[in-house]
Amino acid sequence: MPRALKKGIPHVTLWIYVIVVLYPFVFVLFSSLKESNQAIVADPWGFPQHFRWSNYVDTWIKGKISIFFFNSLYLAFFAAVTGVIIAAMMAFAITRMRYKSISGFLYQFILIGMLIPGNVLFIAQYIMLSKIGILNTHWALYLPYTAGAVPISVLLIAAFMKSIPSELEEAAVVDGLSAQGMFVKIILPITIPALVTVFIVNFLGNWNEYLLANFFLSKENLRTLPTGMVGFRDKFQTNYAEVCAGIVYSVLPVMIIYGFLQEKIIEGLTAGSVKG
Amino acid sequence: MNKAMRNPLVYILFVLPAIILYFMFFIYPFVTSGYYSFFDWDGLQAPKYIGFQNFIRLFHDEDFRLATINNLYFILFSVFIQVPLIVFFSLLISSVKKFQSFYKTTVFMPSVISTSVIGILWGFIYHPDMGLLNNFLGLFGIGKIYWLSDLKTALLSVLITNAWQWMGFYIVLILAAILAIPKELSEAAAIDGANGFQKATKITVPLIMPVISVVIMLSIAGAMRVVDIILVMTNGGPAGATDVMASYMVTKAINFGMYGYGNAIAIVIFVFAMVLTALYQILIARKIERNEF
């Protein structure tokens, strides 16, 4: 018995932690299907008595969650794709092409970016974007998102590319490949695991970004999900069930991606942070 | 060989997009931020050079002092409360065989969700009337608490939400380090008669000290960056009780159009972060690395 107890204590402690992590999600999920605020207040812990799916329909349409959702999706996707491509190009040039000293300098130069805390640049970026005249367009998020990922993406992809043996290149050069051919046909395919990891990390970062999205766009229809949700909460504060349905919409896609790719996501985020 | 990989045109084309974006969104804003911090500027009229006046004013600004202290609270809370808990839970997860990957996957979950959505979600938990927390405390006869609008509880409420979001992230980081320790070490200790607690404190923790050091470093950096959770949950209120430097900067610059002042705050945040990092490296990180041997 003492042995079983000794084995049990860690699990009990960990389950308490797991419940603290999971319960808020369960609460939101249950509340999103309840009929009214009264139903939530009366039994905040309980399972909904009648499933009110219309909350989801109302939120999607009335709350414009559909618009925010697709804005987020396409901005996060294209910024992440562009970021990966330009970072891979730069990483290829500085790790595989034969310009050692300038490459070393460019690499160090890019790494400086990781020393600057992101929100320090916020005001100056705001002023710059407003001068260029793209504040309040999706460019105002697409460009900073793409640029913001450059230092860490170059760092991670370059680390991966460095480890590719040069024999591969030599064989390809004998076959008459140019540098750009080498990049597209040899190096990129080998680098795919690193590119996918960097893509996922960038995509999640863009999908979740709040500060820039909130201040660089003021038109309702341009908003992304994180800011759209805050606006929705402030506007429809009286209907908690619908706000909860909105939360489910913004959490669900990330949870699905996380469910499938958790190993890669954890690996990517932790690799990025340890080196950053 | 060298010929194909030595093509200046291709080289330039390949590095240029990244360098241009990097220059536009890192270097240029950083330089202009430093430049405008010496100006009185509302974003509309011509900037007026005022030397160090923004900075002098900043040092006498009571609200900014409060925001700085709140940042320090974030740092202290992360380092002295979160980090020990993170190490504790990492050790616990590493010690079990059953459900290990389930725990690892679950605790990490909040770290992939948008901070703004987490802010909204925890707004419900702290809601005075329908919130989970007051409902739970009600079971023990504890009366209504206005978590986010009471001066005494607002900051703590935000600190807890922030911890809820990020602890799992660091747990996974430390867990990876623990699991990388060769099994022989702990087996040898077991033969010498060490119990679980002794193994943890005498072997595991000293061995993962470098990673704990990284986690402390990242927590400090994270505490300096905290801003969206504040803007979403309390917007700095009540009466600046939850304002941090970055949220104060955003409010001053964007809501009040004080761009010169806002940029001065940005520079102070940068210097603050640099000083903290340097101090940490000199005072703590070195010591930890010495302990390693």
Side-chain angles (χ1 to χ4, degrees):
Chain A
M1 185 59 201
R3 241 197 100 137
L5 195 73
K6 222 173 131 188
K7 275 195 127 175
I9 288 173
H11 283 288
V12 173
T13 321
L14 287 169
W15 270 100
I16 293 172
Y17 186 16
V18 166
I19 289 168
V20 169
V21 167
L22 289 184
Y23 205 81
F25 294 114
V26 177
F27 167 70
V28 162
L29 192 63
F30 284 178
S31 301
S32 71
L33 288 165
K34 286 178 181 171
E35 288 152 39
S36 60
N37 291 357
Q38 270 71 34
I40 299 175
V41 178
D43 185 16
W45 310 86
F47 205 69
Q49 304 216 305
H50 313 276
F51 292 84
R52 191 158 145 154
W53 297 104
S54 62
N55 287 337
Y56 279 88
V57 182
D58 289 350
T59 310
W60 186 256
I61 298 161
K62 188 176 80 185
K64 296 190 177 172
I65 296 291
S66 57
I67 298 172
F68 306 146
F69 189 94
F70 289 113
N71 284 342
S72 270
L73 194 64
Y74 102 90
L75 271 172
F77 179 81
F78 284 111
V81 169
T82 322
V84 168
I85 293 172
I86 64 169
M89 282 162 53
M90 171 146 183
F92 170 78
I94 62 174
T95 57
R96 314 299 303 189
M97 293 184 73
R98 302 214 166 5
Y99 295 93
K100 284 274 180 309
S101 52
I102 176 95
S103 294
F105 169 77
L106 287 178
Y107 188 65
Q108 295 302 327
F109 180 60
I110 288 265
L111 290 195
I112 295 172
M114 304 219 296
L115 292 175
I116 308 173
N119 52 35
V120 161
L121 304 173
F122 172 75
I123 306 294
Q125 287 181 350
Y126 180 86
I127 295 166
M128 179 182 73
L129 292 174
S130 102
K131 270 189 190 159
I132 306 174
I134 57 173
L135 218 53
N136 268 319
T137 69
H138 275 160
W139 291 107
L141 294 188
Y142 170 77
L143 291 174
Y145 286 177
T146 308
V150 161
I152 185 74
S153 308
V154 170
L155 178 82
L156 292 176
I157 298 172
F160 197 94
M161 283 185 179
K162 252 183 232 160
S163 65
I164 299 171
S166 58
E167 284 80 11
L168 263 173
E169 259 165 31
E170 282 156 29
V173 170
V174 173
D175 287 346
L177 269 188
S178 58
Q180 63 273 32
M182 181 91 61
F183 174 65
V184 175
K185 292 198 179 126
I186 313 280
I187 303 292
L188 267 193
I190 299 175
T191 326
I192 280 176
L195 301 184
V196 170
T197 304
V198 171
F199 170 82
I200 296 166
V201 172
N202 291 354
F203 178 86
L204 282 180
N206 299 341
W207 175 270
N208 288 332
E209 203 281 326
Y210 174 76
L211 188 66
L212 307 189
N214 191 37
F215 291 101
F216 291 1
L217 302 176
S218 56
K219 282 188 201 133
E220 174 99 6
N221 286 342
L222 293 180
R223 287 194 180 288
T224 57
L225 209 41
T227 35
M229 269 307 302
V230 174
F232 181 62
R233 174 197 66 181
D234 295 344
K235 215 193 269 170
F236 297 94
Q237 215 163 22
T238 43
N239 193 332
Y240 291 94
E242 285 183 359
V243 178
C244 286
I247 294 180
V248 174
Y249 278 126
S250 32
V251 170
L252 208 60
V254 188
M255 280 299 142
I256 292 171
I257 298 175
Y258 180 59
F260 282 111
L261 300 170
Q262 36 125 340
E263 287 295 327
K264 265 207 159 347
I265 291 172
I266 288 177
E267 176 198 314
L269 278 173
T270 46
S273 61
V274 171
K275 285 171 187 154
Chain B
M1 168 78 215
N2 275 351
K3 238 186 200 167
M5 298 309 274
R6 251 187 190 284
N7 185 336
L9 191 66
V10 174
Y11 187 86
I12 291 168
L13 276 175
F14 271 38
V15 297
L16 217 50
I19 293 293
I20 290 174
L21 276 176
Y22 176 69
F23 191 82
M24 257 182 89
F25 287 92
F26 282 88
I27 303 300
Y28 176 77
F30 189 63
V31 173
T32 51
S33 211
Y35 177 73
Y36 284 124
S37 66
F38 295 105
F39 287 81
D40 181 17
W41 186 32
D42 60 4
L44 302 168
Q45 269 129 8
K48 197 174 114 218
Y49 180 77
I50 53 167
F52 280 95
Q53 269 186 48
N54 280 329
F55 294 96
I56 294 165
R57 190 171 152 198
L58 207 45
F59 285 111
H60 295 100
D61 185 338
E62 273 301 320
D63 295 330
F64 182 69
R65 194 172 302 166
L66 190 61
T68 313
I69 291 170
N70 286 340
N71 265 122
L72 289 176
Y73 277 127
F74 265 95
I75 292 172
L76 294 175
F77 190 87
S78 317
V79 174
F80 292 104
I81 295 177
Q82 267 170 253
V83 171
L85 280 174
I86 288 164
V87 174
F88 171 74
F89 281 113
S90 312
L91 288 169
L92 218 50
I93 295 178
S94 74
S95 75
V96 300
K97 286 204 184 73
K98 255 192 196 168
F99 300 124
Q100 194 182 64
S101 70
F102 167 77
Y103 293 135
K104 186 177 145 191
T105 309
T106 320
V107 300
F108 192 83
M109 234 169 60
S111 314
V112 288
I113 293 168
S114 159
T115 304
S116 89
V117 168
I118 285 176
I120 298 172
L121 197 161
W122 275 78
F124 285 132
I125 294 174
Y126 290 130
H127 195 285
D129 299 317
M130 46 185 82
L132 272 182
L133 193 56
N134 276 355
N135 254 291
F136 180 69
L137 295 175
L139 300 177
F140 305 97
I142 296 169
K144 201 190 273 187
I145 299 171
Y146 290 85
W147 294 102
L148 291 173
S149 46
D150 189 320
L151 276 175
K152 287 196 287 277
T153 53
L155 186 65
L156 183 67
S157 306
V158 178
L159 287 172
I160 288 172
T161 306
N162 192 54
W164 181 86
Q165 183 180 8
W166 291 111
M167 268 179 57
F169 177 80
Y170 295 121
I171 288 176
V172 168
L173 215 63
I174 292 191
L175 193 57
I178 296 178
L179 296 177
I181 296 174
K183 286 265 181 315
E184 293 80 36
L185 279 171
S186 109
E187 278 161 14
I191 290 168
D192 288 346
N195 62 27
F197 179 75
Q198 284 169 327
K199 268 192 283 183
T201 52
K202 296 270 157 62
I203 298 181
T204 315
V205 171
L207 281 172
I208 57 166
M209 230 30 216
V211 183
I212 295 178
S213 170
V214 168
V215 166
I216 294 175
M217 197 56 239
L218 289 173
S219 307
I220 295 173
M224 291 299 300
R225 265 204 311 270
V226 162
V227 62
D228 11 10
I229 195 127
I230 305 279
L231 294 174
V232 172
M233 288 184 84
T234 61
N235 207 2
T242 56
D243 241 332
V244 289
M245 290 193 266
S247 66
Y248 189 68
M249 169 188 86
V250 169
T251 317
K252 281 285 163 187
I254 310 244
N255 300 356
F256 293 91
M258 299 162 74
Y259 290 112
Y261 201 52
N263 278 314
I265 299 175
I267 295 302
V268 171
I269 296 176
F270 174 74
V271 172
F272 208 96
M274 286 296 122
V275 169
L276 276 180
T277 313
L279 275 180
Y280 181 79
Q281 290 296 342
I282 294 166
L283 297 177
I284 319 271
R286 269 192 198 169
K287 218 167 143 196
I288 287 171
E289 260 134 56
R290 225 180 290 138
N291 276 348
E292 212 184 330
F293 301 101

